[in-house]
């Protein structure tokens, strides 16, 4: 599959939205957060939301606060409903009369421009409904203070691009996949409801989720030193490199990593254990390219979140915790990219995903999908992600612009499934001195 080489534009061109002020031209300056959402469990067992930031000062208030009258189980169930909807409407979607999945790779390449656009538009309204339903579920089920907070938040989200930090240890939803209608009077459940891709939070805004107690707070903005090449640890299932298919999902990813970094390849659990337990290991990029799942239940009980390399010996959250204790010092806050199904999942239970133990191990920024991601798409997205990362662009901007690029160039909505755990300010050192001759 030909790779698209597109210069990313960090400005929005949508009617009804003010100019994008979230891009920060100075890479050494932290981006101003226009919205902070601090979500904690209160004494009644419900969630308390504290909202503040420059956006909330526009009307003279310093902050707003309200209580969500939903339990942890309610939020988990509502989030699972959204993810199941995406799995049905996107991941498992098939064109009539065909066995191929519509969004396996690039629909434009696989089916042609016209058919790809038709498939995408038919699914878009359903995805907008899923996203708006969860947004309303969160911010319209609480006390009067929460209702006012939700109205102010909706107004902010529909009027201009925002830079958002969500702070919570126990409240996790796929923020990029939530949806806010451009017109507050829109009835999104109507068959002819008006909607637009810019209503998805991940299309328009910069969003990170911070776990305040998962390891030390990251202060690093730039990863690496421009005077030397970056160091990368590749945790790979080598079976994804198919010699009969040299242009498979890992090949272009491996090529761009090789061009810009010095790397070590680890293809079995023991290799990863040896590296992660060694205090001398100082990877600045961690890439997992393998199969994985979030927490699951079967007839024998709970199956923990895991990622599996070439040896079929799963790496679980408990392994990461054990290796952290063996290592006795944190990793140097590397960028961690999970080219792994559900690799970005961090839900309301401590071990449902790998995000928390990775941060406790010392990861500084994590990018990963919320869903089972088609491997061809994963390879295409990961390749484009690192192409842009090695220009020194900020990780949050890359994620947002790739969401737009894949909708515009590939007719695929799957860029929205990637979650950023810390990293609005994170970027790689300028690669002029790192590129392999």
């Amino acid at each position: 599959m030909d790779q698209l080489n597109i210069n990313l534009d960090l400005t929005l061109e949508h009617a009804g939205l003010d100019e994008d002020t979230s891009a920060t031209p100075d890479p050494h300056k932290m981006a101003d957060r226009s919205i902070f959402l601090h979500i904690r469990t209160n004494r009644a067992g419900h969630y308390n939301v504290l909202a503040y930031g420059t956006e909330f000062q526009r009307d003279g208030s310093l902050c707003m606060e309200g209580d969500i009258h939903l339990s942890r189980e309610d939020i988990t169930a509502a989030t699972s409903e959204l993810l199941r909807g995406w799995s049905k409407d996107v991941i498992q979607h098939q064109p009539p009369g065909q066995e191929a999945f519509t969004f396996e790779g690039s629909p434009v390449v696989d089916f042609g421009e016209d058919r790809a656009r038709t498939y995408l538009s038919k699914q878009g309204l359903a995805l907008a409904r899923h996203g708006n339903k969860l947004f309303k579920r969160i911010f319209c089920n609480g006390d009067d203070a929460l209702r006012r907070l939700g109205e102010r938040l909706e107004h902010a989200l529909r009027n201009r691009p925002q830079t958002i930090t969500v702070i919570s240890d126990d409240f996790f939803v796929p923020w990029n996949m939530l949806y806010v209608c451009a017109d507050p009077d829109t009835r999104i459940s109507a068959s002819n409801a008006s909607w637009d891709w810019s209503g998805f939070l991940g299309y328009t805004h910069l969003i990170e989720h911070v776990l305040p107690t998962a390891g030390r707070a990251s202060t690093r903005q730039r990863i690496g030193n421009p005077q030397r090449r970056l160091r990368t640890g590749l945790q790979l299932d080598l079976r994804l490199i198919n010699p009969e298919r040299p242009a498979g999902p890992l090949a272009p990813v491996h090529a761009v990593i090789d061009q810009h970094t010095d790397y070590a390849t680890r293809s079995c659990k023991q290799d990863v254990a040896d590296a992660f337990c060694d205090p001398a290991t100082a990877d600045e990029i961690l890439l997992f390219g393998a199969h994985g799942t979030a927490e699951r239940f079967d007839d024998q009980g709970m199956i923990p979140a895991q990622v599996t390399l070439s040896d079929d010996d799963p790496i679980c959250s408990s392994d990461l915790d054990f290796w952290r204790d063996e290592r006795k010092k944190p990793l140097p806050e590397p960028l961690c990219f999970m080219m792994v199904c559900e690799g970005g999942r961090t839900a309301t239970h401590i071990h449902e995903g790998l995000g928390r133990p990775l941060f406790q191990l010392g990861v500084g920024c994590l990018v990963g999908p919320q869903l089972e991601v088609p491997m061809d798409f994963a390879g295409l997205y990961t390749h484009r992600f690192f192409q842009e990362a090695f220009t020194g662009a900020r990780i949050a901007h890359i994620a947002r612009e790739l969401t737009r690029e894949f909708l515009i160039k590939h007719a695929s909505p799957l860029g929205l499934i990637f979650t950023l755990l810390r990293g609005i300010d994170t970027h790689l050192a300028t690669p002029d001195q790192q590129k392999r001759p």
Side-chain angles (χ1 to χ4, degrees):
M1 184 184 299
D2 292 335
Q3 304 298 320
L4 298 174
N5 187 12
I6 298 171
N7 292 322
L8 299 185
D9 179 6
L10 300 186
T11 60
L12 283 172
E13 299 178 355
H14 300 289
L17 289 173
D18 291 351
E19 71 277 5
D20 185 0
T21 58
S22 57
T24 305
D26 182 358
H28 304 292
K29 180 180 181 295
M30 291 186 66
D32 292 330
R33 271 52 165 185
S34 55
I35 295 175
F36 287 90
L37 295 175
H38 196 169
I39 306 177
R40 298 164 291 186
T41 305
N42 60 26
R43 292 181 179 179
H46 293 148
Y47 289 105
N48 172 265
V49 183
L50 179 66
Y52 54 98
T54 56
E55 183 60 38
F56 284 86
Q57 297 171 10
R58 289 175 179 264
D59 58 4
S61 61
L62 293 178
C63 65
M64 300 183 73
E65 187 172 3
D67 289 333
I68 301 174
H69 291 169
L70 296 173
S71 68
R72 175 177 296 187
E73 290 72 23
D74 292 332
I75 296 297
T76 300
T79 301
S80 296
E81 183 180 350
L82 178 145
L83 296 176
R84 284 195 301 270
W86 271 75
S87 292
K88 172 181 173 292
D89 295 325
V90 179
I91 303 298
Q92 299 171 11
H93 184 270
Q94 293 176 295
Q98 295 197 27
E99 295 184 0
F101 291 106
T102 307
F103 300 100
E104 190 77 28
S106 168
V108 167
V109 173
D110 296 338
F111 302 104
E113 182 81 23
D114 291 343
R115 289 176 65 194
R117 298 290 167 206
T118 298
Y119 297 146
L120 179 64
S121 64
K122 286 183 177 179
Q123 303 311 109
L125 178 56
L127 301 182
R129 286 172 178 155
H130 293 313
N132 189 249
K133 184 177 181 180
L134 183 54
F135 184 92
K136 295 288 189 183
R137 183 82 171 143
I138 296 168
F139 294 104
C140 295
N141 282 277
D143 57 15
D144 289 342
L146 180 75
R147 177 185 54 79
R148 292 190 293 271
L149 185 158
E151 290 173 351
R152 184 70 187 88
L153 179 61
E154 270 198 89
H155 175 80
L157 293 172
R158 69 167 54 98
N159 278 281
R160 59 186 60 83
Q162 305 292 342
T163 303
I164 306 167
T165 292
V166 180
I167 305 167
S168 184
D169 274 319
D170 57 1
F171 185 97
F172 299 95
V173 298
W175 296 102
N176 286 344
M177 299 160 76
L178 302 192
Y179 184 88
V180 170
C181 300
D183 183 346
D185 295 325
T186 296
R187 295 180 178 177
I188 196 68
S189 59
S191 60
N192 61 345
S194 176
W195 70 280
D196 186 84
W197 289 108
S198 62
F200 286 94
L201 271 58
Y203 189 100
T204 298
H205 311 284
L206 302 178
I207 310 173
E208 66 175 355
H209 189 118
V210 174
L211 292 79
T213 63
R216 58 181 177 174
S218 177
T219 57
R220 171 174 288 190
Q221 298 174 46
R222 185 181 72 181
I223 293 177
N225 185 326
Q227 303 306 314
R228 58 169 175 75
R229 289 169 61 81
L230 289 160
R231 297 183 294 265
T232 298
L234 299 175
Q235 288 68 229
L236 303 179
D237 182 348
L238 298 179
R239 291 169 296 187
L240 297 178
I241 304 176
N242 187 345
E244 298 179 359
R245 190 185 175 200
L250 274 178
V253 176
H254 193 277
V256 73
I257 293 292
D258 175 68
Q259 184 180 21
H260 292 283
T261 77
D262 295 326
Y263 63 90
T265 301
R266 302 151 192 156
S267 60
C268 67
K269 183 175 181 176
Q270 189 60 56
D271 293 340
V272 180
D274 290 342
F276 283 11
C277 291
D278 185 352
T281 298
D283 295 333
E284 291 153 320
I285 298 172
L286 293 174
L287 171 63
F288 287 82
H291 296 287
T293 63
E295 184 180 281
R296 289 286 189 272
F297 288 87
D298 63 12
D299 55 2
Q300 297 182 4
M302 189 268 289
I303 303 173
Q306 57 188 248
V307 58
T308 305
L309 306 183
S310 303
D311 58 352
D312 286 325
D313 190 1
I315 298 171
C316 303
S317 54
S318 59
D319 294 312
L320 296 173
D321 290 336
F322 181 52
W323 298 339
R324 178 197 67 217
D325 293 337
E326 292 279 296
R327 181 183 174 88
K328 301 188 186 308
K329 65 180 289 190
L331 292 167
E333 300 184 30
L335 162 66
C336 181
F337 190 96
M338 303 294 284
M339 186 176 159
V340 175
C341 293
E342 301 175 345
R345 183 82 68 85
T346 306
T348 52
H349 300 289
I350 189 167
H351 289 307
E352 188 161 337
L354 295 175
R356 189 187 306 270
L358 282 167
F359 279 114
Q360 291 172 333
L361 186 64
V363 163
C365 168
L366 187 146
V367 181
Q370 289 281 336
L371 292 167
E372 180 179 349
V373 58
M375 193 51 66
D376 284 347
F377 170 82
L380 182 59
Y381 184 96
T382 306
H383 179 226
R384 287 291 297 120
F385 178 90
F386 279 105
Q387 280 185 318
E388 296 303 322
F390 288 127
T391 69
R394 294 188 181 221
I395 302 307
H397 289 91
I398 295 170
R400 184 180 64 181
E401 299 313 312
L402 287 184
T403 294
R404 302 171 183 179
E405 176 181 314
F406 275 85
L407 281 163
I408 294 168
K409 300 296 182 180
H410 297 277
S412 172
L414 286 176
L416 288 166
I417 74 175
F418 281 84
T419 288
L420 175 63
L421 299 177
R422 283 209 304 236
I424 280 180
D425 301 301
T426 301
H427 58 280
L428 301 180
T430 304
D432 295 344
Q433 294 86 0
Q434 300 170 5
K435 194 170 183 179
R436 192 180 298 279

